[in-house]
Amino acid sequence: MRHSEELDRVIVAKVGSSTLVGPDGSLDYAYLSSLVDQLVELKGMGFRPVLVSSGAVAAGMERLGLAERPSDIPALQACASAGQAALTEAYAERLAAHGCPCGQVLLTRRDVVDRRGYLNARNTLDYLLELGAVPVVNENDTVAAYEFVFGDNDMLGAIVSTLVGAERYVILSDIDGMFTADPSTHPDAELIEHVDRIDADLVACAGGAGSSVGTGGMAAKLRAARALLAAGIPMTICHGRRPRSLVDAVLGRGRRTEFGSPGTPREQARKLWIGIANRAAGTVGVDAGCADAIRSQGASLLPVGVRSVSGTFDEGDVVSVVGPDGALVARGVTRYCSADLAKSRGLPLDVVARFLPDKADVPAIHRDELLVF
């Protein structure tokens, strides 16, 4: 199943723990109620909201009577287990009061790295939206192994946005948006209102996690923004505690940082899965000319442009492509294993064919399987 016309106008909103949790470290149910009110208001305007909600560990700490956030994995997973139940109950009760059903969707990166799992997750979200439900999505922290975690819900929200073909992704943060410096230590820092490209200067403005209950920070939000700029999906960061901040962000109002613009051409679903949902198995370094050809001309990656190969990967794995400055250029499905690509780097295809006959006229990554960042 894919989106029908009535499934257009899907909005993905992500609320972080630092926004959802009060000063005492427990869930702020008054704020949670106001957030549900906004979701219902958006539904009344014809939008289809999907909520990516952090806060399960904080809710679990409250339910289990823990005063401090645990540091060991089993205790964190136990908190997530208790907290996911509490969090879903809270959203479901408040949505039901508006006559709106709620559907819980728990994901790990394993679910979306597998192509079939990715499609299954997409179909589940689509059908929930078709039935008029508000999907509440979170990482399945209770079972996720380290190598299959998203790391933060900012990127989970970006992946969900590509899954449902969102019109916009809104991050409800504890700050108005992206600033030229940390406003808590630099009072003269200015809000950056619009971003079309993430460069080294912008990355330098980002810091680490912003609170003791959260796992993300501005750097995590920039990773999500970079992915969605490649996907052609606009992203907004705004202060989630401002009254009606979600509705205002969707309608283009209020203090905020906007990444990208509506109407930007979107990549094919398979490319988005390759570049965003998958975890890279290795890294391929390319020269400046190759990086420019990929970015500006939509060219395939040829072995002649490869300067370095790191990691061990097989043909068919997803790899990251980086330029001479180390900046991410693209991600794609390699047609060479790491050993063969290391042997072929810097060589034209006719030379490669002499010692790898099966690679005659085979690019390292074909442009149809290359998502440019």
Side-chain angles (χ1 to χ4, degrees):
M1 186 186 75
R2 228 15 262 157
H3 296 296
S4 55
E5 283 188 11
E6 64 268 22
L7 283 180
D8 291 341
R9 310 199 78 193
V10 178
I11 299 294
V12 175
K14 178 263 178 180
V15 60
S17 296
S18 58
T19 304
L20 193 58
V21 173
D24 62 351
S26 61
L27 284 181
D28 185 339
Y29 290 99
Y31 172 76
L32 190 147
S33 295
S34 71
L35 177 57
V36 167
D37 290 344
Q38 293 183 76
L39 294 171
V40 173
E41 183 177 350
L42 288 172
K43 279 180 64 67
M45 296 177 183
F47 292 101
R48 307 277 179 139
V50 177
L51 180 65
V52 176
S53 179
S54 300
V57 172
M61 289 168 54
E62 180 182 359
R63 180 159 284 192
L64 297 174
L66 300 178
E68 295 183 358
R69 182 185 175 96
S71 58
D72 60 296
I73 297 299
L76 284 170
Q77 290 181 324
C79 284
S81 176
Q84 283 167 359
L87 198 59
T88 302
E89 288 169 11
Y91 283 121
E93 288 173 2
R94 286 156 179 78
L95 284 166
H98 292 278
C100 179
C102 170
Q104 184 187 44
V105 180
L106 298 176
L107 296 173
T108 67
R109 189 176 282 273
R110 189 197 299 268
D111 297 319
V112 295
V113 166
D114 174 70
R115 179 65 175 166
R116 181 176 296 177
Y118 180 91
L119 296 175
N120 287 340
R122 185 179 72 179
N123 290 339
T124 297
L125 289 164
D126 278 355
Y127 203 65
L128 284 169
L129 292 169
E130 185 175 293
L131 294 174
V134 173
V136 176
V137 184
N138 198 356
E139 181 163 13
N140 194 354
D141 297 314
T142 63
V143 298
Y146 173 77
E147 64 269 26
F148 289 110
V149 300
F150 292 100
D152 60 79
N153 273 355
D154 295 317
M155 181 53 75
L156 173 58
I159 291 172
V160 170
S161 296
T162 66
L163 277 169
V164 298
E167 179 176 305
R168 179 173 295 276
Y169 174 38
V170 180
I171 295 179
L172 300 170
S173 184
D174 56 1
I175 192 170
D176 286 334
M178 180 83 191
F179 284 78
T180 54
D182 184 348
S184 65
T185 55
H186 296 79
D188 57 343
E190 298 180 1
L191 179 68
I192 302 170
E193 295 183 350
H194 192 88
V195 175
D196 278 320
R197 182 174 177 271
I198 296 175
D199 55 21
D201 291 337
L202 193 67
V203 171
C205 297
S211 75
S212 61
V213 296
T215 57
M218 196 53 65
K221 291 170 178 56
L222 284 186
R223 286 193 293 272
R226 186 193 298 275
L228 290 188
L229 283 171
I233 298 175
M235 181 181 120
T236 303
I237 302 174
C238 63
H239 202 304
R241 286 276 173 168
R242 192 178 64 246
R244 300 184 79 253
S245 56
L246 174 56
V247 173
D248 284 345
V250 172
L251 298 180
R253 302 191 301 228
R255 278 173 63 81
R256 65 200 189 282
T257 298
E258 297 272 0
F259 293 84
S261 303
T264 303
R266 301 194 174 197
E267 285 287 3
Q268 301 169 3
R270 176 170 168 78
K271 276 195 179 185
L272 297 180
W273 169 70
I274 290 169
I276 296 174
N278 258 288
R279 184 183 291 275
T283 302
V284 177
V286 299
D287 60 34
C290 180
D292 182 66
I294 291 172
R295 282 179 171 141
S296 61
Q297 302 171 32
S300 297
L301 170 56
L302 302 178
V304 69
V306 174
R307 289 294 172 264
S308 64
V309 177
S310 60
T312 302
F313 49 84
D314 295 320
E315 181 179 344
D317 283 345
V318 172
V319 296
S320 295
V321 180
V322 300
D325 58 355
L328 181 65
V329 174
R331 277 193 180 144
V333 176
T334 176
R335 299 190 174 188
Y336 289 64
C337 68
S338 52
D340 285 348
L341 190 55
K343 295 176 187 174
S344 307
R345 63 187 180 93
L347 301 176
L349 284 174
D350 60 339
V351 176
V352 173
R354 296 175 192 172
F355 60 91
L356 293 173
D358 61 321
K359 299 303 181 187
D361 299 324
V362 176
I365 304 176
H366 193 275
R367 61 177 176 272
D368 290 343
E369 296 186 320
L370 195 64
L371 180 67
V372 180
F373 287 84

